[in-house]
Amino acid sequence: MNILFLTLSSVYIALLLFIPSLTQPIMALFKTLPIGLLIVMVLKGRNQLQNRTFITLLVALSFSALGDVLLALDTGQLFIGGLAAFFISHTFYIITMLPIKNWRLDVLLLYLFLAIIIFCLFYPNLNDMLFPVLFYMLVLTIMASLTWMTDKSNGFLVLGGAVFVISDSILGLNRFYLEIAHADIAIMIMYYIAQFFLITGFINHHSNK
C-alpha cells in the first residue's frame, strides 16, 4: 500500500514536471488518486479504528479530495471553494484528535508566531480573500498544534501537521506574495507527505492499542 501511494504520488508529480499541458480534468484525476488510496487504507483499517475516528478520517479525506479537484480545475473562481473544502478537512482532523491529552502552550505559540509572520506577508495582496485566508490559517494552525497535544500523538502525526503547514505556506506565498519557481511541485510533494503521515499516525495509534 505504501509503495502504491508513493507510485501514484510520483506519477502526478511527474505529470506536473513533464506534461503540465494535460487537460485539467485528467490532472485533477491523477491528483486525487493518492488521496483515494488513503481512503482505501482507512477502509482496510476499519476494524482497528474507533467508529468516530473511522468516520472523521473518511470525511477529512473526502473533503481533501474535493479540495484537490477544485484547485486543479481552478481558473480563478474555484480557489475559495478549494479553501473551504480543506477548511472542513482540517476541522475533521481536529475532531479526530480530540480529546486533548495535555496542552502545549509553547507549540501553540510557535505555530501562531509563524502564522502571523506569513499572514503579514500575505496581507497587502489578500483583498476580498482576507477573511477566508485568515480563518483557513487559523484552523490549519490549530490542527498542526493539536498533533502534539492529542492522546493519539505520535511522530507521524506531529510531522504530518508540520509538513502540511509547510505545504500550505508555500502555496500561499506563491499566490499572495511572491512567485516561487516550481512551487506546484514543492506544494504537492509536501502535501502528499503530510496526508500520508497523518493517516499513518492515526492508524498506527489504534493498531498499537
Side-chain angles (χ1 to χ4, degrees):
M1 215 35 116
N2 295 353
I3 299 299
L4 183 55
F5 179 84
L6 178 61
T7 301
L8 292 175
S9 303
S10 299
V11 167
Y12 180 69
I13 300 300
L15 291 177
L16 284 178
L17 275 171
F18 303 113
I19 323 178
S21 58
L22 282 175
T23 62
Q24 287 180 321
I26 292 177
M27 292 297 281
L29 172 63
F30 279 99
K31 185 179 185 181
T32 55
L33 285 178
I35 304 304
L37 184 62
L38 292 181
I39 291 175
V40 173
M41 285 176 60
V42 172
L43 291 172
K44 286 190 67 175
R46 172 70 182 90
N47 293 332
Q48 299 171 331
L49 299 172
Q50 296 174 348
N51 285 336
R52 190 192 71 177
T53 300
F54 174 71
I55 293 170
T56 53
L57 288 182
L58 285 183
V59 174
L61 288 171
S62 296
F63 275 97
S64 290
L66 174 60
D68 285 337
V69 171
L70 292 174
L71 293 180
L73 300 177
D74 181 30
T75 55
Q77 303 297 317
L78 297 178
F79 181 78
I80 192 167
L83 204 64
F86 278 107
F87 181 94
I88 296 171
S89 176
H90 288 312
T91 300
F92 275 89
Y93 275 139
I94 290 170
I95 293 171
T96 309
M97 284 186 271
L98 298 177
I100 303 306
K101 182 179 180 181
N102 61 303
W103 290 96
R104 290 285 303 272
L105 186 60
D106 55 336
V107 172
L108 183 59
L109 289 176
L110 175 60
Y111 273 117
L112 279 175
F113 176 71
L114 294 173
I116 290 169
I117 291 176
I118 294 172
F119 182 76
C120 289
L121 296 176
F122 292 171
Y123 180 76
N125 300 313
L126 287 176
N127 301 316
D128 58 347
M129 291 295 296
L130 173 62
F131 287 107
V133 169
L134 180 61
F135 285 120
Y136 179 78
M137 291 183 70
L138 179 62
V139 77
L140 175 63
T141 299
I142 293 171
M143 186 279 288
S145 299
L146 291 186
T147 60
W148 289 80
M149 307 178 204
T150 174
D151 63 345
K152 303 171 183 66
S153 183
N154 57 60
F156 281 112
L157 277 186
V158 169
L159 285 173
V163 177
F164 224 128
V165 169
I166 295 172
S167 173
D168 283 350
S169 296
I170 296 172
L171 187 155
L173 289 169
N174 184 65
R175 189 177 185 96
F176 297 114
Y177 182 63
L178 178 68
E179 188 171 333
I180 301 171
H182 303 299
D184 53 346
I185 306 299
I187 291 164
M188 292 310 301
I189 290 173
M190 295 296 175
Y191 169 70
Y192 286 140
I193 291 172
Q195 292 280 27
F196 178 79
F197 278 177
L198 286 172
I199 297 304
T200 300
F202 285 121
I203 291 176
N204 282 0
H205 165 76
H206 289 285
S207 297
N208 293 335
K209 289 185 68 176

